[in-house]
Amino acid sequence: MLIESMKRWTIDRPDENSVQQLMKELNIPSMHAKILASRGITDPVAAKAFLYMDETSMHDPYLLHDMDIAVSMIQKKIETNEKIAIFGDYDADGVTSISVLKTALERLGADVFFAIPDRFLHGYGPNKELFLELYEQGASLIITVDNGISGIDEVAYAKSLGMDVIVTDHHEMGEVLPAADAIIHPRHPEGSYPFEELAGVGVAFKLACALLEDVPLDLLEFVAIGTVADLVPLRDENRYFVKEGLRRLRLSHRPGIRALIGVSSTVQSELTEDTIGFTMGPRLNAAGRLGDASPAVDLLTTDDAATASMLAEELDGLNKERQAIVKMITEEADQMITTLYGENIPHVLVIAGEGWNAGVVGIVASRLTDKYYRPSIVLSIDPETGMAKGSARSIAGFDLFGELSKNAQLLPHFGGHQMAAGLSLAINDIDQLRDNLIRQAEEVLTDDMLIPELLIDVPLAIDEIDVSVLESLELLRPFGMAFDKPTFMIEEVKAESIRKIGASKNHLKLTLADLSNSLDTIGFGIGHLADQLTPDVKFSVIGDLQVNEWNGHKKPQLLLKDIRTDEWQLFDLRGMREPMRWLPIIPEKKTAFIAFREASVHHFQTMLKGIAIHLAEPGLIPNADHIVLLDMPHSKGQLEQLVGQMNPKRVYAHFYVPDSMYFDGLPDRSQFGWFYSFLKNRGSFDAGTHSAQLAKHKGWKVETVQFMSQVFSELGFVKMENGLVSMIETAAKRDLSEAPTYQRRVQQMELEQQLLYAPYIELKRLLSSARSEAVDREETGVWI
């Protein structure tokens, strides 16, 4: 790879026959057909059902196990005016679940209130202390949302107090279930619900549908937020929930939704699943990460605009505080990694800090995994208890839960799945856990697996991309889990222009082109790649396509994620005589600076202090991916031999010449003839004294007089002694080209023409030939 991609590209091309069939049957663009086919949706009938969902896409809520029992119990509580407590979770799925069920129960006239555990005081899930508080507040029924399936002891405790308990949850079920009055779960072993991947808010919504004996479509605003934020698969019902929910969010008049959108600096009519994931969800999560999550529920359910505005500002402030905490902890963790490991990053990172906020360490672990592409565990140390608590994130190929299970003796509490986990352990055991996990990872993770993989599934040509096609992608949205946002690839294209943009010139802008089309491409934070690309090279790019609007004019644009080329590149430095002008673009690593002449070595050692200059002789040049040709070779063959043997990925051609002869040319035969006649008539000429005077008289350079004198001397026409040029009357007739000085001048001029003054494309063709021949030729070690 001559420009190496930042990630490991895995290209999964959709079946072309399926693409053509989808295009024909559904009358959709090739881009849309490729996205569907690459995600396994190849049958036109199934694809149509997927694209055009409506209310009929939802399943009967009574297919959920115990739904009838739960509805009957809740109705009786409402009829007898008994208090109902909703017990939720502190994340976005949890607070939207509470909002859905609370709204539905209030519409039925229920006496309902809610409670959420404090992450720091109570931890996740059912809690006996809180259940006792609910009992003391008069609750006769607890309905858990987005939690409860693992609360065996806690549910039993609530029952012992005389309360009824309904569990609604979607998390993994254990072998033993709590002894609740009803358990509503899409994967209940005794159930037959056709879709198992509902979020917690989806389960709460199904209960709301059953209670209201109707589909409360307005509540899909909450369902969409919780479903996207909880990263459940966007297939089946979930897809409809989010698609219809987004449509309604764009039109919503709910004070809480409008206030939340306002502080998120988002245009309401342009809301997407990304808006939820990156702006709305984090603000709803922020309260629970730092303390009490109740304001998030209050915001979503209030009918008062002033209250909504106040609560939204509060959540926005908490989110900014959360961001600052994450930034601080991430920077501290980064500094620890640099201090401990430098560039030798181990297979697993286990980083611990005293007083780190346990509510955000999962975000920090994600940041470290993204940056270093290593499984990462970030722990908050509490010296008073002697314990550390934290979160972990993994990479493909390292089963985090499985590998932690091998260290169960060190972990009083841990849980999770292959890619994420939570854990706690004694501070004294952190080092042992780190050593164990690094050793375990070294056994299962290869070097290739430590390079992030990028799945590319939608290859496109530039002529498949236009504004109308990109705008019509709304038909395929929402993208998310199990229906990933496409990663587009454009292969083997050239750039009409390559430049750095931005105040600090740290962004890259390309204009990609094929025969008749072009595409603007922006790469944020990778402006340095402009120095690694040449316009003649074909390369492949991957990224995200969007519509860029400027002054009312719309154009398609690719947001660049990665780039690579398999072609070698020639960088032309011939017009940049001062090294300080071109030195910044030379790679610092795997680069050899080469001079063909001893004088050039000394010349550039003075100018390029601290950089090793290598003479172009066998055994003196180190292995390198890139070479800088500082001066002119003695011959074209010498250059070809060097390039052929090194086979570099990049060649930086400077070709310094202290005294170029190309534009001086050769004296013509009339000049030689006149000078010969001049010498013959005079018999002798003091070149040391009178060369300048003669040159001025003839309009020549002094060097021309000296050159012709040397040629005549080598041919035996004259004798030169102490600057005096004397004719030899008996000299035989010979051709000028027989003189070595004349031959060297001709060769030097031809070499300069071929290397120093040739067009870029001709120079590259010459060097390409040398590289190609090297592939099939054994290295001889012979230098011309």
Side-chain angles (χ1 to χ4, degrees), residues 461-467 470 490 493-497 509-521 541 545-546 553-558:
I462 296 178
D463 63 8
E464 295 178 85
I465 305 166
D466 64 35
V467 170
L470 293 179
I490 303 172
V493 290
K494 290 187 176 182
E496 286 183 342
S497 68
K509 182 168 185 180
L510 307 172
T511 301
L512 306 180
D514 59 14
L515 294 176
S516 57
N517 302 279
S518 64
L519 177 67
D520 288 345
T521 301
V541 296
L545 287 165
Q546 62 175 214
H553 181 63
K554 294 181 177 181
K555 292 180 66 177
Q557 178 176 269
L558 181 77

Side-chain angles (χ1 to χ4, degrees), residues 589-655:
K589 297 180 180 179
K590 299 181 180 180
T591 299
F593 290 75
I594 299 171
F596 294 93
R597 304 163 191 268
E598 287 276 6
S600 297
V601 173
H602 301 304
H603 172 78
F604 283 102
Q605 280 177 336
T606 301
M607 302 184 73
L608 303 174
K609 295 186 183 299
I611 294 177
I613 310 299
H614 305 281
L615 189 63
E617 292 184 0
L620 298 184
I621 302 176
N623 291 328
D625 289 340
H626 322 299
I627 60 172
V628 182
L629 302 174
L630 293 170
D631 63 351
M632 292 283 289
H634 296 283
S635 68
K636 185 176 76 169
Q638 186 185 24
L639 175 62
E640 291 174 333
Q641 184 77 16
L642 171 71
V643 172
Q645 288 188 343
M646 297 197 70
N647 204 26
K649 297 178 179 179
R650 298 181 199 164
V651 175
Y652 295 83
H654 183 48
F655 292 147

